[in-house]
Amino acid sequence: MATTSKSIRVGERSMQLLDALRIQLGDQYLSEAALLNEATRRGLLLLAVEAWHAEAGQYGGYSPKELARVLRHELTAVFNFLLEQDELPPMLRIAPAPLPMTVAPMVAAEPVTAPEPTAATVEIDTSVMDLMELAGQDEEWD
């Protein structure tokens, strides 16, 4: 892979972060250039999400599925960190499972008996039925 030298201006705060990361990640990145290269690579992947265009080359040359797959790999550590700090955005939070309902023990009381069925005469007022048919509500009743 060929590299091309580029120069950029980095603000004071970014330089402080770079210096701190260089100390903390010195075993992973042997030089400042290697650390900046990795930071640039990751940052460019994040910017690719914003680079949607209808023409070819959208998402920085990635297809949507490819970029999603790469970002999932890259962002796993970020999501884990946010989860540990209880700072996940609401859309990524998992609602806690509802607590199981507790059933209070039933105290035995007098046994409940069903009432005895009684026979009753039902009279249907046919004038009401006629009015319902006239109103267009003559559907079958269950």
Side-chain angles (χ1 to χ4, degrees), residues 14-26 35:
S14 294
M15 282 305 298
Q16 290 171 350
L17 178 59
L18 175 63
D19 292 339
L21 291 174
R22 207 34 196 121
I23 294 167
Q24 295 167 2
L25 300 173
L35 180 59

Side-chain angles (χ1 to χ4, degrees), residues 9-134:
R9 294 189 187 273
V10 179
E12 184 177 332
R13 190 167 179 165
S14 294
M15 282 305 298
Q16 290 171 350
L17 178 59
L18 175 63
D19 292 339
L21 291 174
R22 207 34 196 121
I23 294 167
Q24 295 167 2
L25 300 173
D27 58 332
Q28 295 176 40
Y29 302 99
L30 300 177
S31 68
E32 186 177 270
L35 180 59
L36 281 171
N37 182 52
E38 183 63 12
T40 301
R41 185 189 69 76
R42 291 183 189 190
L44 289 172
L45 286 171
L46 293 177
L47 287 175
V49 172
E50 300 173 18
W52 181 87
H53 295 286
E55 63 269 0
Q58 63 186 4
Y59 302 114
Y62 284 96
S63 73
K65 287 285 187 191
E66 286 177 304
L67 183 57
R69 183 185 53 79
V70 171
L71 285 173
R72 181 177 180 188
H73 172 74
E74 290 292 334
L75 296 176
T76 298
V78 173
F79 290 136
N80 287 339
F81 178 77
L82 290 173
L83 179 64
E84 290 167 4
Q85 302 305 313
D86 194 28
E87 289 293 334
L88 278 175
M91 68 186 299
L92 297 177
R93 292 184 189 149
I94 299 171
L99 296 173
M101 291 184 57
T102 57
V103 178
M106 303 263 316
V107 177
E110 296 180 24
V112 177
T113 56
E116 292 292 322
T118 57
T121 305
V122 177
E123 291 184 29
I124 298 176
D125 185 353
T126 57
S127 63
V128 172
M129 294 297 289
D130 291 341
L131 287 173
M132 289 181 68
E133 286 179 11
L134 290 174

